[in-house]
Amino acid sequence: MTAPGDPGEVTIRPAVVADAPQLAAVHFHAWQEAYRGLVPPEIISPLDDQRIGRWQRALETPRPRTTLVVAERQGQVIGFAGTQRSPNGLELQTMYVHPDHWSTGAGRALMLHVFADWARAGIDRAHLWVLVTNDRARRFYEGFGWRSSGEENVVAVGGTELPVIRYDIDIATAR
């Protein structure tokens, strides 16, 4: 049920190949808004067939130990979250919501779904990496109980090295 003025309920489901164009669009628009002023503009590539093709190939041949779910509202994909198990533990690898749906509960729905999946699988700890200068994302994660480990690294994106910081969470204390 939704209240007047509510943008609608959010449904979380596994991503499918047909989602590739919408995933590419969400990814593009979220990058454009979230990273404006934080990374060089040339790093944020245009929305093109190449980006859509990368999503399509990724969904056609899923990687083992990887999960990708989408947030959908009124039949439109508005966000996604991807996790992967690795020798270093479980990682929230990616999480983006279209900027038109920021602060509407879509990100919260995705995060709570991920936490519930992890709890059902008996996973008690996870980590993620976030751009050091991405204060909005850091506040979002901290609001769920993620805590900085203090460990920093750099990732190369488009030939530019960007500083990232690791966040950890104990699933039992997640909110």
Side-chain angles (χ1 to χ4, degrees), residues 110-148:
L110 276 167
M111 186 65 73
L112 293 176
H113 179 87
V114 167
F115 286 160
D117 274 357
W118 291 345
R120 278 190 298 276
I123 296 164
D124 57 358
R125 296 203 47 79
H127 69 275
L128 62 83
W129 291 90
V130 63
L131 196 64
V132 169
T133 56
N134 192 341
D135 294 333
R136 180 184 180 91
R138 292 178 70 172
R139 282 191 308 272
F140 174 80
Y141 294 128
E142 289 167 1
F144 284 96
W146 293 89
R147 295 293 171 246
S148 169

Side-chain angles (χ1 to χ4, degrees), residues 45-113:
S45 64
L47 178 60
D48 58 15
D49 291 338
Q50 195 174 50
R51 183 184 293 257
I52 295 168
R54 283 192 302 268
W55 274 108
Q56 189 165 350
R57 285 187 300 281
L59 292 166
E60 286 172 342
T61 53
R63 294 179 293 173
R65 306 170 64 93
T66 300
T67 303
L68 182 68
V69 294
V70 298
E72 197 174 53
R73 181 175 276 144
Q74 298 174 345
Q76 293 292 327
V77 173
I78 60 168
F80 60 89
T83 64
Q84 181 174 0
R85 290 186 192 206
S86 71
N88 297 328
L90 186 70
E91 180 176 0
L92 178 62
Q93 282 192 313
T94 186
M95 184 172 182
Y96 290 101
V97 171
H98 191 288
D100 291 349
H101 296 271
W102 287 357
S103 301
T104 67
R108 179 173 180 70
L110 276 167
M111 186 65 73
L112 293 176
H113 179 87

Side-chain angles (χ1 to χ4, degrees), residues 2-58:
T2 59
D6 188 326
E9 291 184 35
V10 175
T11 303
I12 309 296
R13 62 168 176 78
V16 295
V17 174
D19 293 326
Q22 291 184 72
L23 285 165
V26 167
H27 200 190
F28 169 76
H29 291 291
W31 264 63
Q32 290 288 306
E33 187 65 26
Y35 297 125
R36 182 183 304 128
L38 301 180
V39 300
E42 62 273 10
I43 290 178
I44 303 170
S45 64
L47 178 60
D48 58 15
D49 291 338
Q50 195 174 50
R51 183 184 293 257
I52 295 168
R54 283 192 302 268
W55 274 108
Q56 189 165 350
R57 285 187 300 281

